[in-house]
Amino acid sequence: MPLVRIDVVEGRTDDEVRRLADTVQAVMVEHFAAPGRDRYQVIHEHRPGRIIALDTGLGFERTDDVVIVQVTQQGRTVDQKRALYAALAERLERDCGIAPTDVVVSVVENTTADWSFGLGRAQFLDGDL
């Protein structure tokens, strides 16, 4: 049950934003063991200059097409994480025209105790999920 935050610079059309979100979801299902109907995405659009993503000494030249994807999840392996990174870079380039150097991904770990899907309950802990 990943929660995905996608941060982009303003300027994409609604269709482009939807294609980006759909592509991320497809990768989550195909490479990160996310059930198909577990789609929790929050998309934030920022004014130009409000995302600062330098290259960490790797020599990348980032553009205003930069996409930062943060995935909060539990229980994925290192291999699944590597597959996620590679598939996001490949698919976002192919399906959305975003250069792989403009794709930044962070995976945040949590536990079953860290989720409530509504009603003020901890569904994983209570045995509902």
Side-chain angles (χ1 to χ4, degrees):
M1 171 29 249
L3 170 64
V4 180
R5 177 185 169 124
I6 303 169
D7 290 272
V8 297
V9 175
E10 290 175 337
R12 289 177 168 88
T13 67
D14 289 343
D15 286 341
E16 290 170 327
V17 170
R18 184 59 187 220
R19 186 176 325 112
L20 171 64
D22 289 348
T23 300
V24 170
Q25 178 65 12
V27 169
M28 298 301 296
V29 170
E30 293 168 22
H31 298 280
F32 215 59
R37 293 208 28 97
D38 276 1
R39 185 171 183 168
Y40 294 89
Q41 297 176 317
V42 180
I43 301 166
H44 291 267
E45 295 181 279
H46 304 272
R47 292 191 331 237
R50 296 298 197 256
I51 294 179
I52 300 169
L54 301 181
D55 70 359
T56 316
L58 297 171
F60 299 160
E61 292 296 325
R62 302 214 199 269
T63 71
D64 280 344
D65 283 342
V66 68
V67 174
I68 299 177
V69 178
Q70 183 177 41
V71 181
T72 302
Q73 59 77 48
Q74 56 181 310
R76 297 322 190 278
T77 67
V78 170
D79 288 341
Q80 286 174 305
K81 292 173 187 177
R82 286 180 180 267
L84 173 73
Y85 307 147
L88 281 172
E90 186 271 324
R91 293 281 300 274
L92 289 173
E93 181 178 37
R94 185 188 77 199
D95 297 349
C96 303
I98 299 167
T101 53
D102 274 333
V103 178
V104 179
V105 183
S106 173
V107 175
V108 179
E109 300 277 343
N110 68 11
T111 70
T112 55
D114 298 316
W115 294 96
S116 172
F117 297 96
L119 303 175
R121 299 196 49 220
Q123 285 86 357
F124 282 132
L125 297 179
D126 296 340
D128 299 328
L129 292 173

